[in-house]
Amino acid sequence: MALSLPTRQRRALPSDQPSSSSTPSKPYKKEDKPKRSEEEQQGQNGIGWFLPLFSLGMLRYLSATSNIIHDCDEVFNYWEPLHFLLYNSGFQTWEYSSQYALRSYLYINFHEIFGLPASWLFPDDKVRVFYAVRIFVGVLSVIADATLVVALSRKYGKRLASYALAMLCLTSGCFFASTSFLPSSFSMYAMSLSSGLFLLGKPAFAVAVAAVGVILGWPFSILAFLPITFYSLARRFKPTFLAGALTSVALLVLSVLVDYCYYKRWTSSVFNLLLYNVLGGGESHLYGVEGPLFYLRNGFNNFNFCFILALLFLAFLPIARRKYAPDLLIVVSPLYIWLGFMSLQPHKEERFLYPIYPLVCVAASAVIESFPDLFRDKYNPHDNSWPVLIAKFVRPVVLGLILSASHARTFSLINGYGAPLETYKILEHYDDDVGTGSTLCVGSEWHRFPSSFFVPEYISEVRWIDDGFRGLLPLPFNSTLGGTAAAPPYFNNKNKASDEQYLRDLEACTFLVELQLDRPYPTRGSDLSTWERA
């Protein structure tokens, strides 16, 4: 019986390797390259930071310098209080009365950090200060959206991230919302940054940013941040809970302290706003109501076919489930939650959708990227049949259609509705003709007043004249009554006009800003026949 001993092959030594000169080597083939995991390939071949920062930076600069003001609330609730803090003059709304204290000065102070140095740098040019603050909020948008694009690239590849970058840059909704001085825009920045940090595997930072977006920005946006918050807590409870709790408590305490400094009483504007609109039966319907389809129409106006594709994300999810579930589904889910919730509210405004604007771009990008998956054999990932090839060709065509339609709408709004900003800029050329102490009167165009940043120093006051509007209008901050701490008796929360809001003596007007339309029926406004055109 033969006994065989187990043998072990000796490890090859470097000296055993044949030299390249003595032994002919096999030609190197692409197949011989060591395989990397799919995530490693996407991370190394994905989009770096330079492209999104550069692209978004250019577009946000264009937005900051050319964007119109889409909402009078942006002027009277944010630009005017900022102007008062910088120049000790400006309009006050009833929400800023210390009796109601619905608006947080912490949000205004955050922008004052940049506005104050700008006012020192341009002491004689308030318009430049206005655009400097706009550039500041544009930079916030660039940082947040660039983080989201890089995260998408590392997680899902360059193509999806490139589509999202193009839409974040050029869709009308993102172009206009990105440089609006509004809490809903700030919550939009937080949504982009929080989503990006979540996809990068940093749940604690994602929840902390969400807390900043809710407390410093818009408290109602908490609903949109719930999916990322809950899922992050489920992943890593302790660090995520601590980050969110500490950030929330710190900001709430800071908000109360800031509110006390300005309102001169202990109160919380964050809770006052929630109490008025949610628990206190606030009468937001006094400021207009719309039907349940308002946001669907508005979404299509601002994103055209991109919005339709975004709504189809759930329909594509079964096809691309392996790619997008669960992380991208968690990121995109606020789109449906927020859209459904806000559509049920009677009072609707375009800016209420701002927090989910980046998610519209992400969801639509994922759908476009998944077009070939509709026809690809699921057992053959390398299927290149003619339906798959056609679907691949359709992807850039659809993206081009979306961007072209967005470009058309963006420039139509800028060119068609930019008159208010340009009109008020003309006033700076009349100081030698009328001198100081002039009065600027505004008629039916009060809702297009672009803020006191566009009113030259030689004009001592801006007054409204009666055009038939019977709602409550803003009135100047009254330093005699206490400025920001004042609770003027002429303010109310019922949207009822005050007797003091209109200037009765029209002879006191030096300038009148009014819109004259040649229409066959009577329109609200002032008789311009006795005025000299500028």
Side-chain angles (χ1 to χ4, degrees):
M1 177 177 174
L3 182 63
S4 62
L5 297 175
T7 60
R8 185 175 64 182
Q9 186 176 2
R10 180 173 66 87
R11 180 181 296 175
L13 298 174
S15 58
D16 297 333
Q17 300 296 331
S19 62
S20 58
S21 59
S22 60
T23 306
S25 60
K26 292 177 61 179
Y28 178 80
K29 296 181 180 179
K30 185 177 181 180
E31 290 78 7
D32 297 330
K33 187 176 181 180
K35 300 294 184 182
R36 290 181 297 179
S37 66
E38 184 177 349
E39 287 193 4
E40 286 179 344
Q41 292 180 10
Q42 290 177 349
Q44 301 229 353
N45 298 328
I47 297 176
W49 286 96
F50 176 77
L51 179 61
L53 287 174
F54 180 74
S55 303
L56 288 164
M58 287 197 305
L59 269 297
R60 295 300 179 256
Y61 176 78
L62 288 175
S63 174
T65 55
S66 63
N67 195 3
I68 61 176
I69 297 177
H70 299 260
D71 195 322
C72 62
D73 271 356
E74 179 182 354
V75 171
F76 295 122
N77 278 327
Y78 305 105
W79 284 114
E80 286 300 297
L82 178 62
H83 188 275
F84 181 77
L85 297 185
L86 295 178
Y87 300 102
N88 201 34
S89 67
F91 282 99
Q92 179 185 24
T93 63
W94 71 270
E95 293 100 322
Y96 280 94
S97 168
S98 63
Q99 177 183 353
Y100 304 104
L102 297 186
R103 303 295 180 186
S104 172
Y105 275 99
L106 180 60
Y107 176 72
I108 306 297
N109 286 155
F110 178 73
H111 295 79
E112 188 185 8
I113 292 173
F114 195 82
L116 190 59
S119 66
W120 297 337
L121 186 61
F122 308 112
D124 300 322
D125 196 341
K126 297 190 296 182
V127 175
R128 288 193 177 186
V129 177
F130 174 90
Y131 285 109
V133 174
R134 263 198 174 176
I135 291 173
F136 168 65
V137 298
V139 169
L140 298 179
S141 175
V142 169
I143 295 171
D145 289 343
T147 303
L148 177 58
V149 170
V150 170
L152 289 170
S153 176
R154 293 182 180 179
K155 187 83 173 179
Y156 302 106
K158 183 186 296 186
R159 182 181 292 110
L160 189 152
S162 299
Y163 294 163
L165 175 60
M167 293 182 189
L168 288 168
C169 284
L170 295 173
T171 50
S172 297
C174 291
F175 184 88
F176 292 128
S178 61
T179 56
S180 294
F181 184 12
L182 289 166
S184 52
S185 288
F186 189 85
S187 294
M188 180 184 72
Y189 312 150
M191 179 62 71
S192 288
L193 185 56
S194 179
S195 300
L197 292 171
F198 174 79
L199 293 175
L200 289 172
K202 303 180 184 298
F205 288 106
V207 172
V209 169
V212 174
V214 171
I215 298 173
L216 182 56
W218 197 27
F220 299 110
S221 64
I222 186 173
L223 184 64
F225 288 102
L226 288 181
I228 284 181
T229 301
F230 286 152
Y231 197 77
S232 297
L233 287 170
R235 275 185 170 178
R236 300 176 189 172
F237 179 81
K238 186 176 180 180
T240 302
F241 177 80
L242 288 176
L246 291 176
T247 304
S248 299
V249 171
L251 283 176
L252 284 173
V253 170
L254 182 60
S255 176
V256 170
L257 292 175
V258 170
D259 287 340
Y260 176 79
C261 290
Y262 287 97
Y263 290 121
K264 301 303 180 185
R265 69 183 183 92
W266 290 109
T267 186
S268 172
S269 56
V270 175
F271 288 112
N272 290 343
L273 185 64
L274 293 173
L275 187 67
Y276 172 78
N277 286 280
V278 179
L279 302 178
E283 299 176 288
S284 60
H285 65 275
L286 293 173
Y287 305 95
V289 296
E290 295 288 345
L293 299 181
F294 173 81
Y295 286 125
L296 294 179
R297 296 193 302 268
N298 188 265
F300 185 80
N301 281 340
N302 284 307
F303 290 93
N304 56 79
F305 298 103
C306 173
F307 188 72
I308 296 176
L309 292 173
L311 296 180
L312 293 175
F313 176 82
L314 287 180
F316 274 72
L317 191 61
I319 302 171
R321 186 167 188 168
R322 291 181 61 186
K323 290 193 294 185
Y324 301 143
D327 287 358
L328 195 62
L329 176 61
I330 297 297
V331 168
V332 171
S333 58
L335 167 64
Y336 302 97
I337 297 172
W338 189 251
L339 188 61
F341 174 77
M342 297 306 295
S343 296
L344 295 176
Q345 309 308 308
H347 177 58
K348 299 177 177 66
E349 296 187 39
E350 178 178 319
R351 59 192 168 97
F352 292 171
L353 281 194
Y354 284 5
I356 61 169
Y357 274 9
L359 306 185
V360 173
C361 299
V362 172
S365 300
V367 170
I368 294 175
E369 201 270 341
S370 300
F371 279 173
D373 296 333
L374 290 171
F375 309 100
R376 182 177 287 128
D377 184 354
K378 63 179 180 179
Y379 300 109
N380 181 14
H382 303 290
D383 180 15
N384 282 321
S385 59
W386 65 266
V388 174
L389 295 177
I390 292 176
K392 290 181 178 180
F393 173 77
V394 167
R395 288 188 300 199
V397 174
V398 172
L399 180 64
L401 178 64
I402 290 172
L403 299 183
S404 297
S406 296
H407 177 83
R409 174 173 172 78
T410 298
F411 280 88
S412 294
L413 289 178
I414 291 174
N415 292 326
Y417 294 89
L421 290 173
E422 300 304 319
T423 298
Y424 281 83
K425 290 178 183 178
I426 298 175
L427 291 172
E428 65 181 80
H429 302 297
Y430 287 87
D431 54 340
D432 293 333
D433 297 334
V434 297
T436 58
S438 301
T439 299
L440 172 63
C441 296
V442 183
S444 61
E445 288 295 285
W446 63 266
H447 59 286
R448 294 193 179 99
F449 177 65
S451 82
S452 298
F453 284 92
F454 290 83
V455 178
E457 292 295 334
Y458 71 88
I459 294 179
S460 60
E461 62 176 348
V462 179
R463 298 297 305 270
W464 317 125
I465 60 176
D466 193 349
D467 66 331
F469 179 70
R470 290 296 170 257
L472 180 64
L473 292 178
L475 283 97
F477 276 95
N478 194 324
S479 298
T480 304
L481 296 178
T484 60
Y490 41 76
F491 280 144
N492 62 80
N493 62 354
K494 304 297 182 183
N495 197 26
K496 294 181 179 179
S498 168
D499 293 336
E500 301 182 33
Q501 70 186 27
Y502 291 124
L503 176 67
R504 304 299 178 183
D505 181 14
L506 299 187
E507 296 297 325
C509 298
T510 310
F511 298 99
L512 171 66
V513 176
E514 185 59 281
L515 176 66
Q516 183 177 24
L517 299 175
D518 294 328
R519 291 176 174 173
Y521 52 86
T523 58
R524 197 172 72 233
S526 305
D527 182 11
L528 302 182
S529 60
T530 60
W531 289 85
E532 178 184 353
R533 293 180 181 272

